[in-house]
Amino acid sequence: LGEDASAIQAARRALELSLKMSSWSNSIVDPIAARISCEVMMRFGAGQEAFDLLSEYDDLPESLRITFASLATELGRSNVALEALRNDDTPLAASLRGFILTTQNRYQPAIRNLRIALREEPEDVAAAMNLSVALWNTGSRKKAVSAALRASRTAPGRKDASLHYLELLLETRD
């Protein structure tokens, strides 16, 4: 328990150092270290502080945009997350947008984003599961079961994907 404060302090310092701008490239020195630091801070209850530090930068690299949007989502600021991802056309951003939109019960735009993500990254289990949830909530039960099956087959070792598929199968048995 006493190590939590030390972990947060070390992660904060690492984040501050990694977010410094490189003098020769005008970019963040170490975006990977910054992302890991944010994850540590979030895990130990300092997500708001990591979010605040990242908020100071207008042009985050892709990996940190996703991290920033994830932090915003975890902190209940989904509209900030969606704004951060607005101009990001990567499959990971589309998948995260789809997740956020699903949690907001905005299923049609979620479905569009999740299909884009899966077209580019067919092995994205989270996108397939979220697509299943969004489809289910629009009444497209067969498509939802199909998306859940895709998720469970893509990652047979993931119990959450298998249980989700089984749950939908049981719901559709009439």
Side-chain angles (χ1 to χ4, degrees):
L1 284 173
E3 300 299 316
D4 290 8
S6 296
I8 292 169
Q9 183 179 13
R12 179 186 308 114
R13 184 70 181 132
L15 181 57
E16 290 168 348
L17 289 172
S18 61
L19 288 176
K20 291 190 182 276
M21 300 300 279
S22 169
S23 59
W24 57 272
S25 69
N26 198 31
S27 62
I28 291 174
V29 171
D30 194 347
I32 294 170
R35 183 179 55 79
I36 293 168
S37 298
C38 287
E39 290 173 7
V40 169
M41 291 174 76
M42 189 66 176
R43 180 169 294 135
F44 286 98
Q48 181 65 52
E49 189 176 351
F51 175 84
D52 291 342
L53 286 167
L54 289 180
S55 293
E56 296 175 14
Y57 295 85
D58 292 327
D59 192 27
L60 291 170
E62 175 193 338
S63 64
L64 284 180
R65 255 193 327 272
I66 297 295
T67 299
F68 177 75
S70 297
L71 282 167
T73 302
E74 287 288 324
L75 295 169
R77 301 174 75 179
S78 56
N79 288 334
V80 172
L82 289 172
E83 179 61 28
L85 298 172
R86 185 169 44 98
N87 295 320
D88 191 333
D89 60 355
T90 63
L92 187 54
S95 181
L96 183 52
R97 268 193 309 273
F99 166 75
I100 295 166
L101 292 164
T102 299
T103 64
Q104 294 179 333
N105 300 329
R106 297 170 55 196
Y107 300 117
Q108 290 305 327
I111 290 168
R112 280 192 299 279
N113 277 277
L114 293 164
R115 284 185 171 152
I116 289 168
L118 286 166
R119 212 176 357 262
E120 298 285 326
E121 296 288 337
E123 305 297 311
D124 185 344
V125 176
M129 287 179 60
N130 290 325
L131 177 61
S132 174
V133 170
L135 288 165
W136 185 268
N137 283 291
T138 61
S140 298
R141 306 283 200 237
K142 287 183 181 180
K143 289 179 182 179
V145 171
S146 177
L149 174 61
R150 177 180 184 169
S152 69
R153 285 190 175 162
T154 299
R158 279 193 51 180
K159 291 179 184 174
D160 59 336
S162 298
L163 289 172
H164 177 67
Y165 174 58
L166 180 61
E167 181 181 314
L168 295 188
L169 281 178
L170 293 172
E171 285 288 323
T172 56
R173 273 183 87 200
D174 289 333

